[in-house]
Every structure is written in C-alpha cells, then in structure tokens.
Amino acid sequence: MEKRKVSISITQANVLSVALLVGAILVFFVPFWLLWPEWYLHVPTGASRGKVLWVMMTIVAVGVVAHEGLHGLTWALLNKGEFRHVNFGVMWKYVTPYCHYSEPMSRGRYIAGAMMPCAVLGVVPAVVSWFNGNVWWLLFGLIFFAAAAGDIWMTWLMLKEPKDALFLDHPSEAGFYVMEKGPEEEK
C-alpha cells in the first residue's frame, strides 16, 4: 500500500476556527435572535456575571474533554469496539488536545468520528437554543462548532480523496494518511 500524507497546520485550523465562528454566528445566532428578540434580558448582570463566567469556563473545559472523547468513542465503536487503538494527548506547543486512532479506517468511519463532536457539541446545542430560548446553549454550540474547525477542514479534504482508500489518522499533526493500493497491488 502506498501512503500519502494530507495535513494542515494548527495555525491554519485556528484561523479557520475564527472564520467558522463568524459563519456560525450568522447561521445560528440570527435565527435565535429572530425567534427570541428579547434574549438579552436573560443575560446576568452585576455580581452574578463572575459566577456565570466560572461556570462557563468549567463547562467549556468539560466540553473539550467531551470533544476528544467523542472522536475516540465513535472511532472505536465503528471499528469493532477497538478502544485499544484510541490515544489521547495534548500538543503542548499549541495547547491543543487531540485524539488519535492508530489503525486505518474507511473514509465513512473516519468522517463520522471526525464530525461527531461538531454535531453533538456544536450543532445540537445551537439548534436546541432556538426552541428553548437559552442563550447559554447557543453560546456553547457556537464555541464548539468553531472548535471543530480542524475536523471540518479534514473532512472537506478527505472528501476529495478516493472513496475506496483507507485513512490513517496522523499521530502528531492535524491530518491523515491516504492509503491506496499501488499499481502492482491492483493486478
């Protein structure tokens, strides 16, 4: 099998994250505002703001762990329950946590695991906020939609690759290896 690396820099992913946050504000916040025009009346003021800030920071920290956990759980479950191939860590240079699956998988399985945190922690809470009018659900969804920037970019890059290839998550970069049969193997 031939192996080809596809990756992006963490800096590129962070720039995309800001762009996605702006897009997510348009996609999720505008409908929220139209549905709940007096949402701002429920934002805490004064002394309770500090308490809310600490609660939000705690929720975001737990959300970061959940984000990586959703990658690993999804990949393991879609790959016959192979949890032993799930590895977690932090790229300390960028203070960026990661989840790595150490075995090749199909494009569909890779994408499902890559996009699960975006769906569960980003899209679902933002959409729930449309129904319950809770700006904190919206904020959480916006943050975690933007936090999935690298995952969204990886998915977009992967969709350009051959459907029948296998994909191996890169162990130390935001990227993957495309594994295809060489000319000799196709005979």
Side-chain angles (χ1 to χ4, degrees):
M1 285 227 151
E2 293 181 8
K3 194 162 92 168
R4 178 174 40 87
K5 183 173 96 168
V6 176
S7 68
I8 62 171
S9 74
I10 298 301
T11 303
Q12 288 174 310
N14 289 337
V15 169
L16 178 64
S17 180
V18 172
L20 280 175
L21 181 58
V22 171
I25 287 170
L26 293 173
V27 171
F28 296 115
F29 186 69
V30 170
F32 178 84
W33 187 299
L34 293 172
L35 290 165
W36 304 95
E38 296 182 356
W39 66 270
Y40 57 88
L41 297 175
H42 305 287
V43 175
T45 58
S48 63
R49 255 191 202 161
K51 182 178 179 182
V52 168
L53 180 61
W54 279 107
V55 169
M56 283 300 293
M57 288 172 44
T58 302
I59 290 171
V60 167
V62 170
V64 168
V65 172
H67 177 110
E68 300 308 331
L70 282 167
H71 284 313
L73 180 65
T74 304
W75 283 329
L77 291 176
L78 291 176
N79 290 290
K80 302 176 186 168
E82 292 289 341
F83 286 92
R84 64 191 166 107
H85 298 296
V86 177
N87 303 292
F88 298 98
V90 176
M91 292 181 210
W92 289 110
K93 181 178 177 181
Y94 302 102
V95 193
T96 302
Y98 67 87
C99 174
H100 165 66
Y101 195 79
S102 63
E103 288 293 309
M105 61 189 114
S106 70
R107 182 167 81 172
R109 290 177 181 177
Y110 191 106
I111 289 173
M115 293 304 295
M116 192 61 69
C118 180
V120 172
L121 300 174
V123 175
V124 169
V127 170
V128 165
S129 76
W130 296 346
F131 295 96
N132 67 14
N134 189 317
V135 71
W136 302 110
W137 280 90
L138 177 66
L139 183 60
F140 184 88
L142 290 174
I143 290 168
F144 281 97
F145 185 83
D151 303 326
I152 293 167
W153 198 345
M154 287 299 101
T155 297
W156 182 74
L157 290 173
M158 192 169 284
L159 290 173
K160 296 178 176 185
E161 299 296 339
K163 288 182 183 179
D164 59 343
L166 291 177
F167 298 87
L168 177 62
D169 195 34
H170 196 288
S172 61
E173 295 179 25
F176 53 85
Y177 291 103
V178 181
M179 301 172 69
E180 298 177 274
K181 291 181 180 176
E184 305 82 32
E185 296 172 293
E186 291 184 12
K187 293 178 183 179

